[in-house]
PDB file of all heavy atoms in Angstrom:
ATOM      1  N   LEU A 512     -43.208  -2.505 -30.979  1.00 91.00           N
ATOM      2  CA  LEU A 512     -43.358  -1.350 -30.084  1.00 91.00           C
ATOM      3  C   LEU A 512     -44.253  -1.763 -28.917  1.00 91.00           C
ATOM      4  O   LEU A 512     -45.232  -2.470 -29.104  1.00 91.00           O
ATOM      5  CB  LEU A 512     -44.002  -0.203 -30.855  1.00 91.00           C
ATOM      6  CG  LEU A 512     -44.119   1.133 -30.147  1.00 91.00           C
ATOM      7  CD1 LEU A 512     -42.739   1.709 -29.867  1.00 91.00           C
ATOM      8  CD2 LEU A 512     -44.916   2.106 -30.992  1.00 91.00           C
ATOM      9  N   ARG A 513     -43.897  -1.318 -27.708  1.00 89.00           N
ATOM     10  CA  ARG A 513     -44.675  -1.735 -26.543  1.00 89.00           C
ATOM     11  C   ARG A 513     -46.136  -1.332 -26.696  1.00 89.00           C
ATOM     12  O   ARG A 513     -46.456  -0.193 -27.006  1.00 89.00           O
ATOM     13  CB  ARG A 513     -44.079  -1.134 -25.274  1.00 89.00           C
ATOM     14  CG  ARG A 513     -43.102  -2.104 -24.597  1.00 89.00           C
ATOM     15  CD  ARG A 513     -42.425  -1.475 -23.423  1.00 89.00           C
ATOM     16  NE  ARG A 513     -43.384  -1.059 -22.407  1.00 89.00           N
ATOM     17  CZ  ARG A 513     -43.027  -0.368 -21.343  1.00 89.00           C
ATOM     18  NH1 ARG A 513     -41.775  -0.012 -21.162  1.00 89.00           N
ATOM     19  NH2 ARG A 513     -43.924  -0.011 -20.450  1.00 89.00           N
ATOM     20  N   ASP A 515     -48.335  -0.741 -24.610  1.00 90.00           N
ATOM     21  CA  ASP A 515     -48.797   0.314 -23.704  1.00 90.00           C
ATOM     22  C   ASP A 515     -48.818   1.680 -24.370  1.00 90.00           C
ATOM     23  O   ASP A 515     -49.738   2.459 -24.177  1.00 90.00           O
ATOM     24  CB  ASP A 515     -47.874   0.395 -22.476  1.00 90.00           C
ATOM     25  CG  ASP A 515     -47.726  -0.939 -21.811  1.00 90.00           C
ATOM     26  OD1 ASP A 515     -48.660  -1.739 -21.910  1.00 90.00           O
ATOM     27  OD2 ASP A 515     -46.676  -1.186 -21.197  1.00 90.00           O
ATOM     28  N   TYR A 516     -47.780   1.973 -25.153  1.00 93.00           N
ATOM     29  CA  TYR A 516     -47.716   3.282 -25.787  1.00 93.00           C
ATOM     30  C   TYR A 516     -48.884   3.446 -26.754  1.00 93.00           C
ATOM     31  O   TYR A 516     -49.503   4.516 -26.824  1.00 93.00           O
ATOM     32  CB  TYR A 516     -46.387   3.456 -26.547  1.00 93.00           C
ATOM     33  CG  TYR A 516     -45.158   3.259 -25.703  1.00 93.00           C
ATOM     34  CD1 TYR A 516     -44.005   2.708 -26.245  1.00 93.00           C
ATOM     35  CD2 TYR A 516     -45.140   3.629 -24.365  1.00 93.00           C
ATOM     36  CE1 TYR A 516     -42.870   2.518 -25.477  1.00 93.00           C
ATOM     37  CE2 TYR A 516     -44.007   3.444 -23.591  1.00 93.00           C
ATOM     38  CZ  TYR A 516     -42.877   2.888 -24.145  1.00 93.00           C
ATOM     39  OH  TYR A 516     -41.759   2.699 -23.398  1.00 93.00           O
ATOM     40  N   HIS A 518     -51.693   1.870 -26.497  1.00 94.00           N
ATOM     41  CA  HIS A 518     -52.901   1.967 -25.683  1.00 94.00           C
ATOM     42  C   HIS A 518     -53.122   3.407 -25.224  1.00 94.00           C
ATOM     43  O   HIS A 518     -54.234   3.926 -25.313  1.00 94.00           O
ATOM     44  CB  HIS A 518     -52.795   1.040 -24.465  1.00 94.00           C
ATOM     45  CG  HIS A 518     -53.047  -0.395 -24.795  1.00 94.00           C
ATOM     46  ND1 HIS A 518     -52.752  -1.435 -23.952  1.00 94.00           N
ATOM     47  CD2 HIS A 518     -53.574  -0.968 -25.905  1.00 94.00           C
ATOM     48  CE1 HIS A 518     -53.090  -2.571 -24.526  1.00 94.00           C
ATOM     49  NE2 HIS A 518     -53.578  -2.319 -25.708  1.00 94.00           N
ATOM     50  N   VAL A 519     -52.060   4.035 -24.738  1.00 94.00           N
ATOM     51  CA  VAL A 519     -52.173   5.432 -24.307  1.00 94.00           C
ATOM     52  C   VAL A 519     -52.632   6.296 -25.474  1.00 94.00           C
ATOM     53  O   VAL A 519     -53.551   7.104 -25.345  1.00 94.00           O
ATOM     54  CB  VAL A 519     -50.830   5.946 -23.739  1.00 94.00           C
ATOM     55  CG1 VAL A 519     -50.899   7.446 -23.487  1.00 94.00           C
ATOM     56  CG2 VAL A 519     -50.481   5.212 -22.454  1.00 94.00           C
ATOM     57  N   ALA A 520     -52.022   6.075 -26.640  1.00 95.00           N
ATOM     58  CA  ALA A 520     -52.395   6.855 -27.820  1.00 95.00           C
ATOM     59  C   ALA A 520     -53.860   6.631 -28.172  1.00 95.00           C
ATOM     60  O   ALA A 520     -54.566   7.564 -28.562  1.00 95.00           O
ATOM     61  CB  ALA A 520     -51.506   6.472 -29.007  1.00 95.00           C
ATOM     62  N   ALA A 521     -54.334   5.388 -28.012  1.00 94.00           N
ATOM     63  CA  ALA A 521     -55.728   5.074 -28.353  1.00 94.00           C
ATOM     64  C   ALA A 521     -56.680   5.742 -27.369  1.00 94.00           C
ATOM     65  O   ALA A 521     -57.691   6.319 -27.768  1.00 94.00           O
ATOM     66  CB  ALA A 521     -55.929   3.568 -28.347  1.00 94.00           C
ATOM     67  N   ILE A 522     -56.326   5.688 -26.074  1.00 94.00           N
ATOM     68  CA  ILE A 522     -57.197   6.311 -25.066  1.00 94.00           C
ATOM     69  C   ILE A 522     -57.258   7.817 -25.286  1.00 94.00           C
ATOM     70  O   ILE A 522     -58.311   8.432 -25.213  1.00 94.00           O
ATOM     71  CB  ILE A 522     -56.687   6.002 -23.639  1.00 94.00           C
ATOM     72  CG1 ILE A 522     -56.883   4.522 -23.333  1.00 94.00           C
ATOM     73  CG2 ILE A 522     -57.416   6.853 -22.608  1.00 94.00           C
ATOM     74  CD1 ILE A 522     -56.200   4.057 -22.074  1.00 94.00           C
ATOM     75  N   LEU A 523     -56.110   8.408 -25.613  1.00 94.00           N
ATOM     76  CA  LEU A 523     -56.070   9.863 -25.808  1.00 94.00           C
ATOM     77  C   LEU A 523     -56.651  10.258 -27.160  1.00 94.00           C
ATOM     78  O   LEU A 523     -56.688  11.439 -27.495  1.00 94.00           O
ATOM     79  CB  LEU A 523     -54.631  10.383 -25.674  1.00 94.00           C
ATOM     80  CG  LEU A 523     -54.000  10.205 -24.289  1.00 94.00           C
ATOM     81  CD1 LEU A 523     -52.572  10.723 -24.284  1.00 94.00           C
ATOM     82  CD2 LEU A 523     -54.820  10.917 -23.228  1.00 94.00           C
ATOM     83  N   GLN A 524     -57.085   9.272 -27.931  1.00 94.00           N
ATOM     84  CA  GLN A 524     -57.736   9.537 -29.218  1.00 94.00           C
ATOM     85  C   GLN A 524     -56.863  10.397 -30.131  1.00 94.00           C
ATOM     86  O   GLN A 524     -57.347  11.318 -30.780  1.00 94.00           O
ATOM     87  CB  GLN A 524     -59.097  10.238 -28.987  1.00 94.00           C
ATOM     88  CG  GLN A 524     -60.039   9.452 -28.102  1.00 94.00           C
ATOM     89  CD  GLN A 524     -60.844   8.428 -28.872  1.00 94.00           C
ATOM     90  OE1 GLN A 524     -61.722   8.739 -29.630  1.00 94.00           O
ATOM     91  NE2 GLN A 524     -60.487   7.155 -28.703  1.00 94.00           N
ATOM     92  N   LEU A 525     -55.570  10.090 -30.150  1.00 93.00           N
ATOM     93  CA  LEU A 525     -54.670  10.864 -30.993  1.00 93.00           C
ATOM     94  C   LEU A 525     -55.007  10.617 -32.461  1.00 93.00           C
ATOM     95  O   LEU A 525     -55.357   9.501 -32.839  1.00 93.00           O
ATOM     96  CB  LEU A 525     -53.210  10.455 -30.735  1.00 93.00           C
ATOM     97  CG  LEU A 525     -52.652  10.708 -29.337  1.00 93.00           C
ATOM     98  CD1 LEU A 525     -51.179  10.319 -29.291  1.00 93.00           C
ATOM     99  CD2 LEU A 525     -52.803  12.156 -28.936  1.00 93.00           C
ATOM    100  N   LYS A 529     -50.583  12.349 -35.551  1.00 92.00           N
ATOM    101  CA  LYS A 529     -50.009  12.522 -34.214  1.00 92.00           C
ATOM    102  C   LYS A 529     -49.526  11.193 -33.665  1.00 92.00           C
ATOM    103  O   LYS A 529     -48.480  11.097 -33.044  1.00 92.00           O
ATOM    104  CB  LYS A 529     -51.058  13.115 -33.269  1.00 92.00           C
ATOM    105  CG  LYS A 529     -50.801  14.571 -32.941  1.00 92.00           C
ATOM    106  CD  LYS A 529     -51.644  14.985 -31.760  1.00 92.00           C
ATOM    107  CE  LYS A 529     -51.163  16.318 -31.229  1.00 92.00           C
ATOM    108  NZ  LYS A 529     -51.943  16.776 -30.088  1.00 92.00           N
ATOM    109  N   LYS A 533     -45.767  11.319 -32.893  1.00 92.00           N
ATOM    110  CA  LYS A 533     -45.527  11.523 -31.463  1.00 92.00           C
ATOM    111  C   LYS A 533     -45.287  10.209 -30.728  1.00 92.00           C
ATOM    112  O   LYS A 533     -44.698  10.199 -29.657  1.00 92.00           O
ATOM    113  CB  LYS A 533     -46.741  12.229 -30.823  1.00 92.00           C
ATOM    114  CG  LYS A 533     -46.976  13.621 -31.335  1.00 92.00           C
ATOM    115  CD  LYS A 533     -46.485  14.630 -30.342  1.00 92.00           C
ATOM    116  CE  LYS A 533     -46.637  16.021 -30.928  1.00 92.00           C
ATOM    117  NZ  LYS A 533     -46.082  17.037 -30.080  1.00 92.00           N
ATOM    118  N   VAL A 534     -45.804   9.110 -31.263  1.00 93.00           N
ATOM    119  CA  VAL A 534     -45.718   7.849 -30.520  1.00 93.00           C
ATOM    120  C   VAL A 534     -44.950   6.767 -31.297  1.00 93.00           C
ATOM    121  O   VAL A 534     -43.936   6.272 -30.813  1.00 93.00           O
ATOM    122  CB  VAL A 534     -47.132   7.332 -30.153  1.00 93.00           C
ATOM    123  CG1 VAL A 534     -47.029   6.017 -29.398  1.00 93.00           C
ATOM    124  CG2 VAL A 534     -47.881   8.368 -29.334  1.00 93.00           C
ATOM    125  N   ILE A 535     -45.423   6.440 -32.507  1.00 93.00           N
ATOM    126  CA  ILE A 535     -44.852   5.278 -33.197  1.00 93.00           C
ATOM    127  C   ILE A 535     -43.400   5.525 -33.607  1.00 93.00           C
ATOM    128  O   ILE A 535     -42.508   4.748 -33.258  1.00 93.00           O
ATOM    129  CB  ILE A 535     -45.715   4.912 -34.420  1.00 93.00           C
ATOM    130  CG1 ILE A 535     -47.087   4.421 -33.948  1.00 93.00           C
ATOM    131  CG2 ILE A 535     -45.035   3.837 -35.253  1.00 93.00           C
ATOM    132  CD1 ILE A 535     -48.112   4.312 -35.032  1.00 93.00           C
ATOM    133  N   PRO A 537     -41.128   8.002 -32.669  1.00 92.00           N
ATOM    134  CA  PRO A 537     -40.164   8.144 -31.567  1.00 92.00           C
ATOM    135  C   PRO A 537     -40.004   6.863 -30.764  1.00 92.00           C
ATOM    136  O   PRO A 537     -38.916   6.565 -30.287  1.00 92.00           O
ATOM    137  CB  PRO A 537     -40.753   9.264 -30.703  1.00 92.00           C
ATOM    138  CG  PRO A 537     -41.985   9.716 -31.335  1.00 92.00           C
ATOM    139  CD  PRO A 537     -42.264   8.917 -32.554  1.00 92.00           C
ATOM    140  N   GLY A 538     -41.080   6.103 -30.625  1.00 92.00           N
ATOM    141  CA  GLY A 538     -40.993   4.860 -29.859  1.00 92.00           C
ATOM    142  C   GLY A 538     -40.107   3.836 -30.539  1.00 92.00           C
ATOM    143  O   GLY A 538     -39.347   3.117 -29.891  1.00 92.00           O
ATOM    144  N   TYR A 613     -33.596   7.270 -27.050  1.00 79.00           N
ATOM    145  CA  TYR A 613     -33.928   7.526 -25.651  1.00 79.00           C
ATOM    146  C   TYR A 613     -33.590   6.282 -24.849  1.00 79.00           C
ATOM    147  O   TYR A 613     -33.391   5.203 -25.400  1.00 79.00           O
ATOM    148  CB  TYR A 613     -35.415   7.845 -25.492  1.00 79.00           C
ATOM    149  CG  TYR A 613     -36.320   6.732 -25.940  1.00 79.00           C
ATOM    150  CD1 TYR A 613     -36.677   5.706 -25.071  1.00 79.00           C
ATOM    151  CD2 TYR A 613     -36.815   6.679 -27.241  1.00 79.00           C
ATOM    152  CE1 TYR A 613     -37.498   4.679 -25.472  1.00 79.00           C
ATOM    153  CE2 TYR A 613     -37.633   5.641 -27.662  1.00 79.00           C
ATOM    154  CZ  TYR A 613     -37.972   4.649 -26.769  1.00 79.00           C
ATOM    155  OH  TYR A 613     -38.773   3.617 -27.168  1.00 79.00           O
ATOM    156  N   GLN A 614     -33.565   6.430 -23.533  1.00 73.00           N
ATOM    157  CA  GLN A 614     -33.338   5.285 -22.655  1.00 73.00           C
ATOM    158  C   GLN A 614     -34.663   4.807 -22.111  1.00 73.00           C
ATOM    159  O   GLN A 614     -35.510   5.615 -21.740  1.00 73.00           O
ATOM    160  CB  GLN A 614     -32.441   5.685 -21.488  1.00 73.00           C
ATOM    161  CG  GLN A 614     -30.977   5.780 -21.880  1.00 73.00           C
ATOM    162  CD  GLN A 614     -30.168   6.098 -20.665  1.00 73.00           C
ATOM    163  OE1 GLN A 614     -30.367   7.113 -20.027  1.00 73.00           O
ATOM    164  NE2 GLN A 614     -29.249   5.214 -20.339  1.00 73.00           N
ATOM    165  N   GLU A 615     -34.820   3.514 -22.037  1.00 69.00           N
ATOM    166  CA  GLU A 615     -36.064   2.956 -21.470  1.00 69.00           C
ATOM    167  C   GLU A 615     -36.125   3.281 -19.986  1.00 69.00           C
ATOM    168  O   GLU A 615     -35.150   3.137 -19.288  1.00 69.00           O
ATOM    169  CB  GLU A 615     -36.095   1.439 -21.646  1.00 69.00           C
ATOM    170  CG  GLU A 615     -36.571   1.016 -23.026  1.00 69.00           C
ATOM    171  CD  GLU A 615     -38.091   1.022 -23.157  1.00 69.00           C
ATOM    172  OE1 GLU A 615     -38.777   1.169 -22.138  1.00 69.00           O
ATOM    173  OE2 GLU A 615     -38.563   0.886 -24.281  1.00 69.00           O
TER     174      GLU A 615
ATOM    175  N   LEU B 250     -59.907  -1.158 -24.444  1.00 93.00           N
ATOM    176  CA  LEU B 250     -58.682  -1.694 -25.036  1.00 93.00           C
ATOM    177  C   LEU B 250     -58.845  -3.178 -25.361  1.00 93.00           C
ATOM    178  O   LEU B 250     -58.046  -3.765 -26.068  1.00 93.00           O
ATOM    179  CB  LEU B 250     -57.500  -1.505 -24.079  1.00 93.00           C
ATOM    180  CG  LEU B 250     -57.181  -0.054 -23.730  1.00 93.00           C
ATOM    181  CD1 LEU B 250     -56.148   0.007 -22.608  1.00 93.00           C
ATOM    182  CD2 LEU B 250     -56.669   0.695 -24.949  1.00 93.00           C
ATOM    183  N   PRO B 268     -61.597   2.654 -27.027  1.00 94.00           N
ATOM    184  CA  PRO B 268     -61.076   3.549 -25.990  1.00 94.00           C
ATOM    185  C   PRO B 268     -61.491   4.992 -26.214  1.00 94.00           C
ATOM    186  O   PRO B 268     -61.840   5.374 -27.326  1.00 94.00           O
ATOM    187  CB  PRO B 268     -59.554   3.392 -26.119  1.00 94.00           C
ATOM    188  CG  PRO B 268     -59.321   2.846 -27.481  1.00 94.00           C
ATOM    189  CD  PRO B 268     -60.557   2.143 -27.913  1.00 94.00           C
ATOM    190  N   GLY B 269     -61.465   5.777 -25.173  1.00 92.00           N
ATOM    191  CA  GLY B 269     -61.846   7.177 -25.305  1.00 92.00           C
ATOM    192  C   GLY B 269     -61.341   8.005 -24.138  1.00 92.00           C
ATOM    193  O   GLY B 269     -60.915   7.469 -23.115  1.00 92.00           O
ATOM    194  N   LEU B 270     -61.393   9.327 -24.330  1.00 93.00           N
ATOM    195  CA  LEU B 270     -60.858  10.242 -23.318  1.00 93.00           C
ATOM    196  C   LEU B 270     -61.707  10.271 -22.046  1.00 93.00           C
ATOM    197  O   LEU B 270     -61.277  10.805 -21.024  1.00 93.00           O
ATOM    198  CB  LEU B 270     -60.786  11.649 -23.899  1.00 93.00           C
ATOM    199  CG  LEU B 270     -59.646  11.876 -24.896  1.00 93.00           C
ATOM    200  CD1 LEU B 270     -59.975  13.001 -25.844  1.00 93.00           C
ATOM    201  CD2 LEU B 270     -58.359  12.174 -24.143  1.00 93.00           C
ATOM    202  N   ARG B 272     -62.524   7.695 -20.366  1.00 94.00           N
ATOM    203  CA  ARG B 272     -62.103   6.601 -19.475  1.00 94.00           C
ATOM    204  C   ARG B 272     -60.580   6.494 -19.510  1.00 94.00           C
ATOM    205  O   ARG B 272     -60.022   5.899 -20.416  1.00 94.00           O
ATOM    206  CB  ARG B 272     -62.720   5.276 -19.929  1.00 94.00           C
ATOM    207  CG  ARG B 272     -64.199   5.150 -19.619  1.00 94.00           C
ATOM    208  CD  ARG B 272     -64.862   4.187 -20.565  1.00 94.00           C
ATOM    209  NE  ARG B 272     -64.988   4.771 -21.889  1.00 94.00           N
ATOM    210  CZ  ARG B 272     -64.578   4.169 -23.004  1.00 94.00           C
ATOM    211  NH1 ARG B 272     -64.030   2.983 -22.967  1.00 94.00           N
ATOM    212  NH2 ARG B 272     -64.709   4.778 -24.166  1.00 94.00           N
ATOM    213  N   MET B 273     -59.908   7.119 -18.557  1.00 95.00           N
ATOM    214  CA  MET B 273     -58.452   7.152 -18.574  1.00 95.00           C
ATOM    215  C   MET B 273     -57.882   6.082 -17.645  1.00 95.00           C
ATOM    216  O   MET B 273     -58.370   5.883 -16.541  1.00 95.00           O
ATOM    217  CB  MET B 273     -57.951   8.536 -18.138  1.00 95.00           C
ATOM    218  CG  MET B 273     -56.449   8.697 -18.226  1.00 95.00           C
ATOM    219  SD  MET B 273     -55.824   8.537 -19.921  1.00 95.00           S
ATOM    220  CE  MET B 273     -54.067   8.477 -19.623  1.00 95.00           C
ATOM    221  N   VAL B 274     -56.834   5.425 -18.121  1.00 95.00           N
ATOM    222  CA  VAL B 274     -56.220   4.339 -17.364  1.00 95.00           C
ATOM    223  C   VAL B 274     -54.924   4.821 -16.704  1.00 95.00           C
ATOM    224  O   VAL B 274     -54.156   5.562 -17.320  1.00 95.00           O
ATOM    225  CB  VAL B 274     -55.899   3.142 -18.293  1.00 95.00           C
ATOM    226  CG1 VAL B 274     -55.308   1.983 -17.497  1.00 95.00           C
ATOM    227  CG2 VAL B 274     -57.153   2.689 -19.032  1.00 95.00           C
ATOM    228  N   PHE B 276     -51.693   2.981 -15.535  1.00 93.00           N
ATOM    229  CA  PHE B 276     -51.170   1.648 -15.779  1.00 93.00           C
ATOM    230  C   PHE B 276     -50.218   1.205 -14.669  1.00 93.00           C
ATOM    231  O   PHE B 276     -49.534   2.014 -14.055  1.00 93.00           O
ATOM    232  CB  PHE B 276     -50.390   1.619 -17.102  1.00 93.00           C
ATOM    233  CG  PHE B 276     -51.246   1.898 -18.308  1.00 93.00           C
ATOM    234  CD1 PHE B 276     -51.472   3.194 -18.729  1.00 93.00           C
ATOM    235  CD2 PHE B 276     -51.810   0.869 -19.038  1.00 93.00           C
ATOM    236  CE1 PHE B 276     -52.245   3.465 -19.839  1.00 93.00           C
ATOM    237  CE2 PHE B 276     -52.587   1.123 -20.155  1.00 93.00           C
ATOM    238  CZ  PHE B 276     -52.805   2.417 -20.552  1.00 93.00           C
ATOM    239  N   ASN B 278     -47.479  -0.412 -15.100  1.00 90.00           N
ATOM    240  CA  ASN B 278     -46.085  -0.130 -15.481  1.00 90.00           C
ATOM    241  C   ASN B 278     -45.924   1.303 -15.981  1.00 90.00           C
ATOM    242  O   ASN B 278     -45.036   1.594 -16.773  1.00 90.00           O
ATOM    243  CB  ASN B 278     -45.605  -1.135 -16.519  1.00 90.00           C
ATOM    244  CG  ASN B 278     -46.527  -1.191 -17.706  1.00 90.00           C
ATOM    245  OD1 ASN B 278     -47.416  -0.342 -17.843  1.00 90.00           O
ATOM    246  ND2 ASN B 278     -46.339  -2.148 -18.571  1.00 90.00           N
ATOM    247  N   SER B 280     -46.445   3.336 -18.167  1.00 92.00           N
ATOM    248  CA  SER B 280     -46.712   3.642 -19.580  1.00 92.00           C
ATOM    249  C   SER B 280     -46.531   5.111 -19.918  1.00 92.00           C
ATOM    250  O   SER B 280     -47.330   5.716 -20.612  1.00 92.00           O
ATOM    251  CB  SER B 280     -48.132   3.223 -19.966  1.00 92.00           C
ATOM    252  OG  SER B 280     -48.209   1.836 -20.025  1.00 92.00           O
ATOM    253  N   LEU B 281     -45.455   5.679 -19.399  1.00 94.00           N
ATOM    254  CA  LEU B 281     -45.092   7.036 -19.813  1.00 94.00           C
ATOM    255  C   LEU B 281     -44.229   6.906 -21.048  1.00 94.00           C
ATOM    256  O   LEU B 281     -43.506   5.929 -21.213  1.00 94.00           O
ATOM    257  CB  LEU B 281     -44.309   7.740 -18.704  1.00 94.00           C
ATOM    258  CG  LEU B 281     -45.014   7.825 -17.349  1.00 94.00           C
ATOM    259  CD1 LEU B 281     -44.054   8.352 -16.306  1.00 94.00           C
ATOM    260  CD2 LEU B 281     -46.246   8.692 -17.430  1.00 94.00           C
ATOM    261  N   MET B 282     -44.300   7.892 -21.931  1.00 94.00           N
ATOM    262  CA  MET B 282     -43.463   7.864 -23.124  1.00 94.00           C
ATOM    263  C   MET B 282     -42.035   8.240 -22.718  1.00 94.00           C
ATOM    264  O   MET B 282     -41.803   9.373 -22.286  1.00 94.00           O
ATOM    265  CB  MET B 282     -43.960   8.866 -24.173  1.00 94.00           C
ATOM    266  CG  MET B 282     -45.454   8.834 -24.409  1.00 94.00           C
ATOM    267  SD  MET B 282     -45.964   7.354 -25.284  1.00 94.00           S
ATOM    268  CE  MET B 282     -47.721   7.585 -25.339  1.00 94.00           C
ATOM    269  N   PRO B 283     -41.085   7.310 -22.845  1.00 93.00           N
ATOM    270  CA  PRO B 283     -39.736   7.600 -22.335  1.00 93.00           C
ATOM    271  C   PRO B 283     -39.000   8.679 -23.130  1.00 93.00           C
ATOM    272  O   PRO B 283     -38.005   9.200 -22.661  1.00 93.00           O
ATOM    273  CB  PRO B 283     -39.010   6.250 -22.442  1.00 93.00           C
ATOM    274  CG  PRO B 283     -39.831   5.424 -23.352  1.00 93.00           C
ATOM    275  CD  PRO B 283     -41.220   5.954 -23.348  1.00 93.00           C
ATOM    276  N   TRP B 284     -39.497   8.998 -24.338  1.00 92.00           N
ATOM    277  CA  TRP B 284     -38.819  10.029 -25.145  1.00 92.00           C
ATOM    278  C   TRP B 284     -39.386  11.414 -24.872  1.00 92.00           C
ATOM    279  O   TRP B 284     -38.989  12.381 -25.486  1.00 92.00           O
ATOM    280  CB  TRP B 284     -38.915   9.696 -26.632  1.00 92.00           C
ATOM    281  CG  TRP B 284     -40.318   9.494 -27.116  1.00 92.00           C
ATOM    282  CD1 TRP B 284     -41.136  10.449 -27.639  1.00 92.00           C
ATOM    283  CD2 TRP B 284     -41.055   8.273 -27.117  1.00 92.00           C
ATOM    284  NE1 TRP B 284     -42.352   9.888 -27.951  1.00 92.00           N
ATOM    285  CE2 TRP B 284     -42.331   8.560 -27.647  1.00 92.00           C
ATOM    286  CE3 TRP B 284     -40.770   6.970 -26.724  1.00 92.00           C
ATOM    287  CZ2 TRP B 284     -43.312   7.589 -27.792  1.00 92.00           C
ATOM    288  CZ3 TRP B 284     -41.757   6.014 -26.866  1.00 92.00           C
ATOM    289  CH2 TRP B 284     -43.007   6.312 -27.394  1.00 92.00           C
ATOM    290  N   MET B 285     -40.366  11.502 -23.949  1.00 93.00           N
ATOM    291  CA  MET B 285     -40.946  12.804 -23.639  1.00 93.00           C
ATOM    292  C   MET B 285     -40.612  13.167 -22.196  1.00 93.00           C
ATOM    293  O   MET B 285     -40.470  12.287 -21.350  1.00 93.00           O
ATOM    294  CB  MET B 285     -42.468  12.752 -23.768  1.00 93.00           C
ATOM    295  CG  MET B 285     -42.970  12.592 -25.178  1.00 93.00           C
ATOM    296  SD  MET B 285     -44.761  12.656 -25.169  1.00 93.00           S
ATOM    297  CE  MET B 285     -45.104  12.330 -26.886  1.00 93.00           C
ATOM    298  N   LEU B 293     -49.327  16.074 -23.713  1.00 95.00           N
ATOM    299  CA  LEU B 293     -49.885  15.262 -24.803  1.00 95.00           C
ATOM    300  C   LEU B 293     -51.340  14.916 -24.497  1.00 95.00           C
ATOM    301  O   LEU B 293     -52.217  15.011 -25.366  1.00 95.00           O
ATOM    302  CB  LEU B 293     -49.059  13.983 -24.966  1.00 95.00           C
ATOM    303  CG  LEU B 293     -49.497  13.024 -26.074  1.00 95.00           C
ATOM    304  CD1 LEU B 293     -49.120  13.574 -27.430  1.00 95.00           C
ATOM    305  CD2 LEU B 293     -48.875  11.647 -25.875  1.00 95.00           C
ATOM    306  N   ALA B 294     -51.593  14.548 -23.234  1.00 95.00           N
ATOM    307  CA  ALA B 294     -52.955  14.189 -22.831  1.00 95.00           C
ATOM    308  C   ALA B 294     -53.855  15.420 -22.806  1.00 95.00           C
ATOM    309  O   ALA B 294     -54.977  15.391 -23.312  1.00 95.00           O
ATOM    310  CB  ALA B 294     -52.920  13.519 -21.459  1.00 95.00           C
ATOM    311  N   SER B 297     -54.907  16.632 -26.165  1.00 94.00           N
ATOM    312  CA  SER B 297     -55.906  15.761 -26.788  1.00 94.00           C
ATOM    313  C   SER B 297     -57.288  16.009 -26.193  1.00 94.00           C
ATOM    314  O   SER B 297     -58.288  16.012 -26.902  1.00 94.00           O
ATOM    315  CB  SER B 297     -55.541  14.294 -26.571  1.00 94.00           C
ATOM    316  OG  SER B 297     -54.216  14.075 -26.910  1.00 94.00           O
ATOM    317  N   THR B 329     -36.928   8.162 -17.359  1.00 92.00           N
ATOM    318  CA  THR B 329     -35.774   7.370 -16.928  1.00 92.00           C
ATOM    319  C   THR B 329     -35.149   7.943 -15.676  1.00 92.00           C
ATOM    320  O   THR B 329     -34.607   7.209 -14.848  1.00 92.00           O
ATOM    321  CB  THR B 329     -34.684   7.369 -18.020  1.00 92.00           C
ATOM    322  OG1 THR B 329     -35.315   7.524 -19.274  1.00 92.00           O
ATOM    323  CG2 THR B 329     -33.873   6.104 -17.962  1.00 92.00           C
ATOM    324  N   ARG B 343     -51.271  12.775 -15.263  1.00 95.00           N
ATOM    325  CA  ARG B 343     -51.750  12.667 -16.646  1.00 95.00           C
ATOM    326  C   ARG B 343     -53.217  12.239 -16.674  1.00 95.00           C
ATOM    327  O   ARG B 343     -54.014  12.788 -17.432  1.00 95.00           O
ATOM    328  CB  ARG B 343     -50.887  11.649 -17.410  1.00 95.00           C
ATOM    329  CG  ARG B 343     -51.328  11.433 -18.832  1.00 95.00           C
ATOM    330  CD  ARG B 343     -50.367  10.556 -19.608  1.00 95.00           C
ATOM    331  NE  ARG B 343     -50.370   9.184 -19.111  1.00 95.00           N
ATOM    332  CZ  ARG B 343     -49.604   8.210 -19.626  1.00 95.00           C
ATOM    333  NH1 ARG B 343     -48.769   8.489 -20.619  1.00 95.00           N
ATOM    334  NH2 ARG B 343     -49.646   6.994 -19.141  1.00 95.00           N
TER     335      ARG B 343
END
Side-chain angles (χ1 to χ4, degrees):
Chain A
L512 186 65
R513 266 175 60 187
D515 307 332
Y516 304 147
H518 282 166
V519 172
I522 291 170
L523 296 179
Q524 303 275 289
L525 297 183
K529 254 194 167 180
K533 295 258 176 185
V534 179
I535 294 168
Y613 61 87
Q614 283 183 300
E615 278 278 350
Chain B
L250 299 171
L270 285 155
R272 286 155 287 129
M273 184 63 190
V274 182
F276 296 87
N278 54 11
S280 288
L281 303 172
M282 314 288 178
W284 55 92
M285 291 184 184
L293 181 74
S297 311
T329 331
R343 178 173 68 180

